[in-house]
Amino acid sequence: MTAAPRRPRGGNPPDHPGRPDRPGRPHHTPLYGPGLDGDGLPALYERLRAEHGPVAPVALAPGAHAWLVMGYEELLRVTRREQDFSHDPRHWRPLREGRVPADSPLLAFLGWRPALMFADGRRHRRMRSAVADALGRVDGGELGRLVRETADRLIDAFAGWREADLVPHYAHRLPARVVTRLLGADEPVSRKLAEAVAGTAAANADSVHAGRRLERVLLALVREKRRAPGPDITSWLLTHPASLREEEVLHNLAVTVVAAHQTTKNWIATTLRLLLTDPALRSSLDGGHLTLDEALDLVLWRFPPTQNLPGRYALRDVRLGRQEVRAGDMLVLGLAAAGRDPGVLPACGRPVTGNRAHVAFGAGPHACPAQPQARLIARTAVEVLRRRLPGLRLAVPEERLAWASSPWTRGLAALPVRLAP
């Protein structure tokens, strides 16, 4: 890593990473506010990279400062070195010192919970083993049939229309229904979970309340499955040899639901957008020169469904990129920016077909354990739609597509299409 010069005396305070615009005033580029959506974020990353190098000072909310790790190698270092970077937000200095408001929307993602996402070392391995084993018990053939049946039912509902919106009518509903079935829940619970997950990921004033609604729904499901277990992920977690406590099952389900729904929804919608707007990609897929899995991987390189993944917390002072990170600082994994790091791409700047070395699912011990299931859901969803509705056309110019505004995810708010007669 390139060493950063030491800050001069009287420079930035330890909990305010970044360079000062003028003495005593550190500069943190906001990752929130209007304009920072799917269109605005990629250009912002490149500006930050040009100005700060692979690690940049940002603000997630007013006064909530962090380092955005945009370099591929730097991101791998942060994800692999648990001795230097913890997942436990209780190491974050502002939170530890009580300077984060209880109603901050950041706490929907950054508040500590007894789940694998917020644990290190032995505790993380214990919970991850239970989650990974439960996911591993999902039969691939059964999952594929479930996705196809769900996709067909959703398409039947709008196949006769002149126009449809593939985000709310398809990409949003499909993973919500599939994941809920895998948890052992019914349709009414599926709708409540989908609504709560969307609110949690929005990173707005309602996020904390949405997170609590999500927990209430899941707690009722956990207690139901304790009374009447079935062949589902919730029951398998409850009976796993790791002996997870009820609250651990609850919060690991919450992490799984949020990650699975938002990531898969955005992955499906972005892949469909590219197939509708990129004739060369569509022609390569139609002609057999590109497989659907390869197209899905190109999406993960160029437009990963999760833009930025919080958080890591420095356990000691370290140098990263051109910056000095202080103990107690927060780091955010810039998954989208790392996928565009010029140091890992060919001279043309485009990823090589078939290369799965992207970090769209994270890296290191905390890499997403549900990657095979997410890929199967996304691949099948796109396959079924292409087979059922081959004449789809975008209903608005590409530049008019609306994006959801969130510092964490890159998702379309709408994907209006015209259906062939």
Side-chain angles (χ1 to χ4, degrees):
M1 308 298 165
T2 304
R6 292 191 176 276
R7 292 192 182 101
R9 293 182 182 273
N12 301 334
D15 59 334
H16 288 185
R19 63 166 181 78
D21 288 338
R22 54 185 181 271
R25 289 292 300 273
H27 170 74
H28 303 87
T29 300
L31 284 186
Y32 61 92
L36 291 182
D37 56 18
D39 279 339
L41 284 169
L44 173 64
Y45 300 145
E46 297 317 307
R47 179 170 66 79
L48 289 174
R49 198 192 311 273
E51 185 175 356
H52 299 284
V55 181
V58 296
L60 305 178
H65 303 146
W67 297 105
L68 180 64
V69 184
M70 303 179 294
Y72 185 91
E73 293 298 329
E74 287 77 11
L75 189 145
L76 292 182
R77 176 185 171 188
V78 170
T79 56
R80 291 171 176 173
R81 293 182 64 86
E82 286 188 311
Q83 66 270 36
D84 293 335
F85 306 101
S86 171
H87 272 73
D88 191 332
R90 292 172 295 187
H91 291 289
W92 186 28
R93 188 183 304 103
L95 191 63
R96 193 173 66 233
E97 296 176 353
R99 293 188 281 115
V100 180
D103 60 351
S104 169
L106 293 177
L107 293 181
F109 277 92
L110 303 179
W112 181 85
R113 298 165 182 81
L116 75 170
M117 185 176 177
F118 307 100
D120 302 310
R122 185 180 302 173
R123 179 179 296 176
H124 168 253
R125 290 191 293 273
R126 170 177 162 270
M127 288 189 282
R128 184 183 175 92
S129 70
V131 172
D133 288 349
L135 290 169
R137 292 182 67 173
V138 175
D139 180 84
E142 291 295 330
L143 177 57
R145 281 189 287 275
L146 173 60
V147 179
R148 287 192 294 273
E149 291 170 3
T150 305
D152 277 327
R153 285 198 299 271
L154 291 173
I155 294 169
D156 287 342
F158 62 80
W161 301 356
R162 288 186 59 189
E163 292 190 4
D165 189 335
L166 295 182
V167 171
H169 296 142
Y170 193 68
H172 174 74
R173 293 181 184 177
L174 189 147
R177 293 186 181 185
V178 170
V179 172
T180 304
R181 284 280 299 276
L182 294 180
L183 299 187
D186 57 19
E187 181 65 26
V189 173
S190 174
R191 290 194 294 271
K192 293 178 183 178
L193 286 175
E195 177 187 343
V197 168
T200 301
N204 58 29
D206 186 56
S207 293
V208 172
H209 302 295
R212 291 171 184 157
R213 293 195 297 271
L214 175 64
E215 291 174 8
R216 286 197 296 270
V217 175
L218 289 174
L219 180 58
L221 176 63
V222 169
R223 290 177 175 172
E224 175 191 336
K225 291 299 175 179
R226 190 178 292 282
R227 291 191 300 269
D232 52 69
I233 289 175
T234 306
S235 301
W236 295 331
L237 285 178
L238 286 166
T239 57
H240 192 272
S243 300
L244 301 187
R245 302 188 307 275
E246 183 177 87
E247 64 173 350
E248 290 177 324
V249 174
L250 163 65
H251 289 290
N252 279 294
L253 284 177
V255 168
T256 301
V257 168
V258 172
H261 178 260
Q262 287 297 112
T263 300
T264 313
K265 164 194 164 185
N266 291 341
W267 197 4
I268 293 169
T270 301
T271 303
L272 293 174
R273 175 182 70 88
L274 284 182
L275 292 175
L276 288 166
T277 60
D278 189 333
L281 180 66
R282 187 169 61 247
S283 175
S284 294
L285 192 59
D286 291 342
H289 304 295
L290 185 75
T291 68
L292 184 50
D293 270 314
E294 289 170 337
L296 288 168
D297 281 313
L298 288 174
V299 170
L300 294 181
W301 273 105
R302 295 165 59 189
F303 311 105
T306 299
Q307 288 276 297
N308 302 307
L309 184 63
R312 300 294 194 276
Y313 309 90
L315 297 177
R316 63 184 183 87
D317 293 355
V318 295
R319 293 184 177 183
L320 191 67
R322 303 203 308 244
Q323 312 293 351
E324 289 190 16
V325 177
R326 305 296 188 184
D329 285 355
M330 184 204 302
L331 300 99
V332 174
L333 304 182
L335 306 180
R340 294 171 177 263
D341 186 341
V344 297
L345 294 177
C348 65
R350 296 176 67 88
V352 176
T353 301
N355 184 349
R356 290 192 180 177
H358 53 72
V359 290
F361 289 104
H366 281 262
C368 175
Q371 295 181 47
Q373 292 82 11
R375 180 177 290 273
L376 177 56
I377 294 171
R379 181 201 310 125
T380 307
V382 175
E383 282 177 344
V384 173
L385 189 74
R386 281 170 52 81
R387 173 176 55 81
R388 290 283 309 273
L389 302 173
L392 285 179
R393 294 292 182 269
L394 200 60
V396 298
E398 182 181 2
E399 60 272 14
R400 287 180 52 196
L401 290 174
W403 295 86
S405 180
S406 169
W408 313 126
T409 65
R410 186 180 200 268
L412 285 164
L415 185 60
V417 294
R418 289 194 179 93
L419 282 65

